[in-house]
Amino acid sequence: MHSSHKTKIERRLKIIAGQIRGLQELVANDTYCIDVITQTSAVKQALTAIEDIMMESHLGTCVIRQIKGGQEEKAKAEILKVYQLKRK
Amino acid sequence: MHSSHKTKIERRLKIIAGQIRGLQELVANDTYCIDVITQTSAVKQALTAIEDIMMESHLGTCVIRQIKGGQEEKAKAEILKVYQLKRK
Amino acid sequence: MHSSHKTKIERRLKIIAGQIRGLQELVANDTYCIDVITQTSAVKQALTAIEDIMMESHLGTCVIRQIKGGQEEKAKAEILKVYQLKRK
Amino acid sequence: MHSSHKTKIERRLKIIAGQIRGLQELVANDTYCIDVITQTSAVKQALTAIEDIMMESHLGTCVIRQIKGGQEEKAKAEILKVYQLKRK
C-alpha cells in the first residue's frame, strides 16, 4: 500500500475506534434507539470509505503486478470476492 | 463476454422482465405492501446476481487485456466505479 | 395504499419495465460490461425508491391500524422482515 | 430497551471494539489488502446485526407506545429514516 493511503486509513480507523467508544456510551446511557442506529450507520459508512481506499490501492499496485506476473486467476478471484462482499 | 455468460444473462433478464410484469399486477391488484416489497427485493437480488456474472466476465477478459495493453488507469478507474456502485 | 402512491408506483414500474428492455438490448448488442452494470445499478436504485414509497404508505395506513387494532406482533414482525431485506 | 437486548448489544459492541483494534494492527503490519477488506466487511455485518436488534427492540416498545399515544407521525418518520439508512 502507498504510505499516503496507509496514513489516511490509520487516521480513519482511529476515528472509528472513537465512534465505537461513543456507541458504547450511547447504549450504556439508554440513548434513544433511532439515535443509536443513526450512529451505527455512520460507522458502517466510514468503514465503506476505508474499503474504497483499500480497493483503489489494491488495484493500483497488487492487481497490476499480479496480472503482469501471470497470476490472473488469483487477481480475478480476489476482486470478485470483495465485489460480492460489498453488498453485505 | 463469453457466449455462455451472455446466454445466462439473457435468460436471467427474461425472467426479470416477467418479475416486473408480476410486480405491475401486484400493484394493480392492491396486493399487501409487504408482499410487494418482498418481490422488489427479489428482483434486486436477481439483478445483483447478473452484476456478479458481468463482473466475473469483465475481469476474465477486458481487464486482463487492458492491463497487459497499457490501459491500467482505465481498468482501475472502471473497477473502482462499479465497486462503489455495488452498495447503492 | 393511497391512490396517489399507487399512481406514482405504477408510473415508476412502467419506466423500470422499459429499463429492463433497454438492458436486454444492451446485452444483445454486446455493450461494454461496465456500461451494463451501471444500468443494472440504476434499475436497483429505482426499485429501492419504490420500496421507500411502499414503506411510507405501509407505515401511514396498515401499521397504525394494526397496532391500534391489537395486531402489534404482526406489524412488528413484518417491518422487521423488510428492514432486514433492505440490505440484500 | 429490554435489559436482555441491552446486555446483548453491549457484549457485541465490546467484540466490535476488539475487531477495530485488530484492524489497526492489520494495517500497521501491512496485511494484504483483500484480508483487510474481508475484516472491515465482517465489522459492518456485526454492526448490521446490532441494528436489527435495536430495531426489534424499538418496534416492540417505543413504536407501539408512540402510535397508541398519538405520536403516529414521529413513529412513522423515524422508522422510514432508519429504513432508508439501512442501504448506506
Side-chain angles (χ1 to χ4, degrees):
Chain A
M1 190 155 40
H2 287 298
S3 72
S4 70
H5 282 152
K6 188 174 171 177
T7 309
K8 208 189 276 187
I9 289 173
E10 289 183 321
R11 204 169 44 227
R12 284 168 184 246
L13 279 174
K14 214 169 171 178
I15 293 169
I16 290 172
Q19 286 178 308
I20 300 294
R21 280 191 300 274
L23 266 168
Q24 289 176 306
E25 279 172 42
L26 291 182
V27 172
N29 297 333
D30 297 313
T31 304
Y32 187 47
C33 323
I34 299 296
D35 297 331
V36 179
I37 296 179
T38 304
Q39 192 57 23
T40 55
S41 176
V43 177
K44 290 198 293 180
Q45 291 176 55
L47 287 163
T48 296
I50 286 180
E51 290 172 352
D52 290 345
I53 300 170
M54 297 290 307
M55 185 65 162
E56 188 183 354
S57 172
H58 181 61
L59 291 168
T61 54
C62 317
V63 170
I64 289 170
R65 195 166 48 236
Q66 287 163 350
I67 289 180
K68 291 192 170 167
Q71 290 189 291
E72 288 99 339
E73 282 310 311
K74 178 179 162 67
K76 184 182 144 179
E78 289 177 345
I79 294 175
L80 205 56
K81 179 190 163 188
V82 293
Y83 181 65
Q84 291 171 336
L85 270 183
K86 192 67 184 282
R87 283 284 295 214
K88 302 282 180 193
Chain B
M1 191 157 36
H2 288 296
S3 71
S4 69
H5 281 152
K6 189 174 169 175
T7 308
K8 208 190 274 187
I9 289 173
E10 289 183 320
R11 206 170 42 228
R12 285 168 184 247
L13 280 174
K14 214 168 171 180
I15 293 169
I16 290 172
Q19 287 177 308
I20 300 295
R21 280 192 300 276
L23 267 168
Q24 290 176 305
E25 279 172 43
L26 292 182
V27 173
N29 297 333
D30 297 313
T31 304
Y32 187 48
C33 323
I34 299 297
D35 296 330
V36 179
I37 296 179
T38 304
Q39 192 57 21
T40 55
S41 176
V43 177
K44 290 198 293 182
Q45 291 175 55
L47 287 163
T48 297
I50 286 180
E51 289 172 351
D52 290 346
I53 299 170
M54 297 289 309
M55 186 65 162
E56 188 182 354
S57 172
H58 181 62
L59 292 168
T61 53
C62 316
V63 169
I64 289 170
R65 196 166 48 236
Q66 286 163 350
I67 289 180
K68 291 191 169 166
Q71 290 189 289
E72 287 98 339
E73 282 310 311
K74 177 179 163 65
K76 183 182 144 180
E78 289 178 345
I79 294 174
L80 205 56
K81 179 190 163 188
V82 294
Y83 181 65
Q84 291 171 337
L85 271 183
K86 192 66 183 283
R87 285 286 294 212
K88 302 281 179 192
Chain C
M1 192 159 32
H2 288 297
S3 71
S4 71
H5 280 153
K6 188 174 169 176
T7 309
K8 207 189 275 186
I9 289 174
E10 289 184 320
R11 206 169 43 228
R12 284 169 184 245
L13 279 175
K14 215 169 168 177
I15 294 169
I16 289 172
Q19 287 177 309
I20 300 295
R21 279 191 301 274
L23 266 168
Q24 289 176 307
E25 280 173 41
L26 291 182
V27 173
N29 297 333
D30 297 314
T31 305
Y32 187 49
C33 324
I34 299 296
D35 296 330
V36 179
I37 297 179
T38 304
Q39 192 57 20
T40 55
S41 176
V43 177
K44 290 197 293 181
Q45 290 176 55
L47 287 163
T48 297
I50 287 180
E51 289 172 351
D52 290 345
I53 300 170
M54 298 288 309
M55 186 65 162
E56 188 183 355
S57 172
H58 180 62
L59 292 168
T61 54
C62 317
V63 170
I64 290 171
R65 196 166 49 236
Q66 288 163 350
I67 290 181
K68 291 190 170 167
Q71 289 189 289
E72 287 98 340
E73 282 310 312
K74 177 179 163 66
K76 185 182 143 179
E78 289 178 345
I79 295 175
L80 205 56
K81 179 191 164 188
V82 294
Y83 181 66
Q84 289 171 338
L85 271 183
K86 191 66 183 285
R87 283 287 294 217
K88 302 281 180 194
Chain D
M1 190 155 40
H2 286 297
S3 72
S4 70
H5 282 153
K6 187 174 169 174
T7 308
K8 207 189 278 187
I9 289 174
E10 288 183 322
R11 204 170 43 226
R12 284 168 185 247
L13 280 174
K14 214 168 170 178
I15 293 169
I16 290 172
Q19 286 177 308
I20 299 294
R21 279 191 300 276
L23 266 168
Q24 289 176 306
E25 278 172 45
L26 291 182
V27 173
N29 298 334
D30 297 313
T31 304
Y32 188 47
C33 322
I34 299 297
D35 297 331
V36 179
I37 296 180
T38 304
Q39 192 56 21
T40 55
S41 176
V43 177
K44 290 198 292 181
Q45 291 176 56
L47 287 163
T48 296
I50 287 179
E51 290 172 352
D52 290 345
I53 300 170
M54 296 289 309
M55 186 64 161
E56 188 183 354
S57 171
H58 181 61
L59 291 168
T61 54
C62 316
V63 169
I64 290 171
R65 197 164 49 235
Q66 287 162 351
I67 290 180
K68 292 191 170 168
Q71 290 188 290
E72 288 99 339
E73 282 310 311
K74 178 179 162 66
K76 183 183 144 179
E78 289 178 346
I79 294 175
L80 205 57
K81 179 190 163 187
V82 294
Y83 181 66
Q84 291 171 337
L85 271 183
K86 191 66 182 282
R87 283 285 295 214
K88 302 280 180 196

